[in-house]
């Protein structure tokens, strides 16, 4: 993990001003805190780990005051430049990309500052919140971009700009953009996406989950039974009965439009045995693939949702700094500054990407392992530090499964990473050999 973080630090030095000299410690601490599982900045008060101190830019552990002060004073335009330069657009360049766009809502519990409200699904109500809008590549399982906004923004407001950003910066050969129902809360939002797809035709296809408004749901449920094609899929667990779904294709006329402008609609009816009602999942799409293929591609968006769960539970995404200025002179009208919120939201995504690359480089089947799993198995391990005039030697204590680290350590040592804040010493990592059985009786 040291190699990618040093690269982010070099980029940050080109984008972010450092009048107080806290950039190195602030960024390194913010990044490695996500790696080792430091839940809150005030936990630095009790941190006394020599390895963490050297990772974060010194010989003593950083102070939460200097790190927090660096975060709070990040201008949005410098953070935007950092995000732009560290976005891994090369992952989709020249490829046929399947990209998901969605929002993550961060609830705020403040009563002093009347910030904007939005719908929080985990609380099932409208409350004060802030939002992060992520772009996620489903083929590689990596985040591509982020945008921080106040809580009253919705996916419908950023759907078109985010898709344009992907086409302009990612330069894919073709893009299939997937959106949740938030991008189609109003028919004007659906039409804007369809106009964008027509503008970039044939490079862009759009699929979004349609809102189940009662008048449209009645029309979809009224489709004749012979229009549905029956498919059987594996059940939710081993030896479970097969799940039956029925797919149909129809068109939907948007509000104020002519029948000739109708939108292609794929209707998925999930048959639920027993007294419960069947589940209906309508999809608007410009893609001309068969209905089952459209449904399969859209289901891949669940990996994006899983990334949010990992971010919340393993990287403490909901603990990112506030976007409203707590030093505002009028608490009733707090100033908005998206720099700290977007910087930490993007660092969470960068660490997620870097941990995914780390897992794929391990010897063994670790691809797809969560951050918390790799932290428990490989990151938070005891060891010894040895300093020489030329190197910082890190020797990990022996542990079960350490052989999986051999290819990663070999690649790391060959790269020759150096720490400028430790007199440019080279970092060398080694493992403690396994105890060999004694020969003889």
């Amino acid at each position: 993990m040291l190699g990618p973080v040093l690269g982010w630090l070099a980029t940050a030095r080109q984008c972010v001003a450092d009048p107080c000299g806290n950039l190195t410690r602030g960024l390194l601490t913010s990044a490695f805190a996500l790696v080792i599982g430091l839940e809150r900045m005030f936990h630095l008060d009790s941190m006394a780990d020599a390895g963490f101190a050297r990772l974060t830019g010194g010989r003593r552990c950083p102070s939460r005051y200097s790190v927090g002060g660096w975060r709070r004073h990040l201008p949005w335009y410098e953070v935007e430049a950092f995000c732009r330069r560290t976005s891994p657009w090369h992952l989709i360049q020249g490829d046929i990309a399947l990209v998901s766009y969605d929002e993550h809502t961060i609830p705020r519990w403040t009563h002093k500052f009347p910030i904007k409200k939005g719908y929080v699904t985990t609380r099932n109500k409208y409350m004060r919140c802030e939002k992060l809008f992520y772009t996620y590549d489903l083929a590689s399982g990596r985040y591509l971009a982020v945008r921080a906004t106040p809580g009253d923004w919705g996916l419908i407001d950023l759907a078109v700009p985010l898709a344009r950003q992907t086409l302009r910066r990612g330069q894919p050969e073709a893009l299939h953009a997937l959106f949740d129902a938030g991008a189609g809360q109003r028919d004007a939002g659906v039409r804007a996406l369809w106009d964008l797809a027509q503008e970039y035709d044939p490079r862009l296809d759009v699929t979004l989950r349609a809102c189940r408004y009662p008048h449209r749901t009645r029309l979809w449920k009224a489709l004749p039974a012979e229009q549905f094609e029956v498919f059987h899929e594996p059940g939710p667990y081993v030896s479970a009965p097969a799940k039956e779904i029925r797919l149909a294709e129809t068109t939907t006329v948007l509000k104020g439009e002519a029948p000739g402008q109708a939108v292609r609609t794929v209707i998925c009816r999930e048959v639920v045995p027993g007294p419960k009602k069947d589940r209906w999942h309508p999809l608007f799409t410009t893609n001309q693939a068969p209905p089952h293929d459209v449904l399969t591609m859209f289901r891949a968006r669940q990996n994006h949702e899983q990334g949010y769960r990992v971010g919340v539970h393993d990287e403490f995404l909901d603990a990112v700094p506030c976007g409203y200025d707590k030093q505002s002179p009028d608490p009733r009208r707090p100033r908005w500054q998206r720099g700290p919120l977007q910087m930490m939201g993007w660092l969470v995504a960068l660490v997620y990407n870097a941990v995914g690359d780390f897992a794929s480089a391990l010897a063994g089947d670790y691809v797809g392992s969560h951050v918390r799993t790799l932290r428990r198995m490989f990151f938070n391990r005891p060891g010894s530090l040895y300093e020489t005039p030329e190197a910082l030697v890190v020797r990990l204590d022996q542990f079960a499964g350490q052989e999986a680290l051999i290819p990663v350590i070999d690649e790391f040592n060959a790269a020759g990473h150096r720490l400028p804040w430790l007199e440019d010493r080279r970092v060398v990592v080694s493992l403690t050999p396994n105890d060999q059985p004694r020969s003889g009786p």
Side-chain angles (χ1 to χ4, degrees):
M1 291 297 297
L2 181 61
V5 177
L6 289 177
W8 306 339
L9 178 61
T11 303
R13 286 173 175 162
Q14 301 172 7
C15 304
V16 181
D18 189 19
C20 300
N22 291 331
L23 170 61
T24 298
R25 297 231 80 174
L27 189 137
L28 293 176
T29 304
S30 299
F32 283 114
L34 302 174
V35 176
I36 69 169
L38 191 72
E39 297 185 21
R40 299 291 189 274
M41 275 298 101
F42 65 83
H43 293 175
L44 287 173
D45 291 345
S46 58
M47 175 69 73
D49 186 272
F52 183 75
R54 285 159 176 78
L55 273 179
T56 55
R59 299 182 181 278
R60 299 175 61 183
C61 287
S63 165
R64 67 184 176 106
Y65 300 103
S66 60
V67 176
W70 174 78
R71 289 183 178 186
R72 285 193 299 271
H73 295 92
L74 286 169
W76 71 267
Y77 48 87
E78 295 179 352
V79 173
E80 186 68 28
F82 174 78
C83 295
R84 184 169 58 249
R85 295 192 185 189
T86 53
S87 296
W89 294 113
H90 63 277
L91 296 175
I92 63 173
Q93 187 173 10
D95 291 340
I96 300 176
L98 185 65
V99 177
S100 172
Y101 305 87
D102 200 7
E103 64 188 46
H104 177 72
T105 305
I106 303 171
R108 300 300 190 193
W109 309 99
T110 176
H111 292 282
K112 179 179 179 181
F113 301 95
I115 63 175
K116 302 295 184 179
K117 291 187 177 182
Y119 181 70
V120 181
T121 55
T122 55
R123 310 291 297 183
N124 193 27
K125 65 178 181 180
Y126 282 87
M127 60 180 295
R128 294 183 176 94
C129 65
E130 292 166 337
K131 293 185 178 181
L132 291 168
F133 291 82
Y134 284 101
T135 302
Y136 187 88
D137 177 32
L138 295 170
S140 61
R142 303 292 185 268
Y143 287 102
L144 298 177
V146 70
R147 173 68 185 275
T149 70
D152 60 341
W153 285 49
L155 188 58
I156 193 172
D157 302 311
L158 289 176
V160 172
L162 291 177
R164 284 188 185 275
Q165 179 191 51
T166 304
L167 290 165
R168 184 175 66 255
R169 297 182 181 171
Q171 294 296 317
E173 179 183 344
L175 171 64
H176 190 170
L178 306 181
F179 295 91
D180 201 7
Q185 289 180 333
R186 298 184 299 273
D187 286 354
V190 179
R191 177 49 56 190
L193 286 171
W194 258 239
D195 291 343
L196 182 68
Q198 187 175 6
E199 176 185 346
Y200 284 93
D201 183 68
R203 288 183 60 202
L204 176 63
D205 275 322
V206 175
T207 299
L208 65 88
R209 186 164 63 89
C211 293
R212 290 171 288 195
Y213 294 121
H215 65 288
R216 285 184 179 158
T217 302
R218 286 193 295 269
L219 295 176
W220 295 330
K221 290 183 177 182
L223 293 174
E226 57 271 14
Q227 194 169 336
F228 287 85
E229 186 177 359
V230 179
F231 294 88
H232 290 88
E233 299 179 338
Y237 54 91
V238 178
S239 73
K243 180 174 62 176
E244 179 183 334
I245 62 170
R246 302 174 185 177
L247 296 178
E249 180 180 342
T250 184
T251 57
T252 302
V253 179
L254 302 180
K255 183 178 180 180
E257 296 188 352
Q261 299 175 284
V263 174
R264 185 191 183 203
T265 308
V266 173
I267 308 297
C268 173
R269 179 181 181 182
E270 182 180 347
V271 178
V272 180
K276 295 185 178 180
K277 297 180 180 179
D278 294 347
R279 299 189 182 97
W280 294 77
H281 309 286
L283 301 174
F284 291 154
T285 183
T286 64
N287 193 279
Q288 298 304 314
H292 191 265
D293 292 345
V294 173
L295 177 64
T296 301
M297 286 186 286
F298 187 80
R299 282 175 169 175
R301 208 189 66 82
Q302 186 61 31
N303 295 327
H304 189 176
E305 300 286 355
Q306 180 66 31
Y308 286 153
R309 296 188 184 98
V310 173
V312 170
H313 298 290
D314 296 8
E315 300 182 77
F316 324 111
L317 178 57
D318 286 351
V320 294
C322 300
Y324 60 91
D325 187 3
K326 295 182 179 180
Q327 305 300 323
S328 299
D330 185 2
R332 294 171 297 179
R333 301 182 63 184
R335 294 174 298 206
W336 164 254
Q337 49 181 20
R338 65 184 174 98
L341 174 61
Q342 183 162 315
M343 171 61 88
M344 288 309 303
W346 184 232
L347 282 180
V348 168
L350 287 177
V351 170
Y352 177 92
N353 292 351
V355 170
D357 296 339
F358 173 85
S360 62
L362 291 171
D365 187 16
Y366 292 96
V367 176
S369 298
H370 292 181
V371 175
R372 184 175 295 181
T373 300
L374 298 175
R375 179 186 299 146
R376 171 176 50 83
M377 297 184 66
F378 301 110
F379 297 156
N380 292 354
R381 284 289 175 183
S384 303
L385 296 177
Y386 302 93
E387 284 191 14
T388 70
E390 297 295 331
L392 173 66
V393 181
V394 181
R395 191 190 70 179
L396 300 179
D397 294 348
Q398 179 183 337
F399 62 93
Q402 65 180 13
E403 294 79 11
L405 282 175
I406 292 177
V408 177
I409 290 178
D410 290 343
E411 181 181 359
F412 177 86
N413 291 336
H417 296 291
R418 294 183 178 273
L419 303 182
W421 54 88
L422 289 181
E423 293 79 38
D424 207 36
R425 286 182 171 86
R426 179 178 175 178
V427 183
V428 179
V429 182
S430 65
L431 296 173
T432 301
N434 290 324
D435 296 333
Q436 299 295 328
R438 189 177 61 178
S439 59

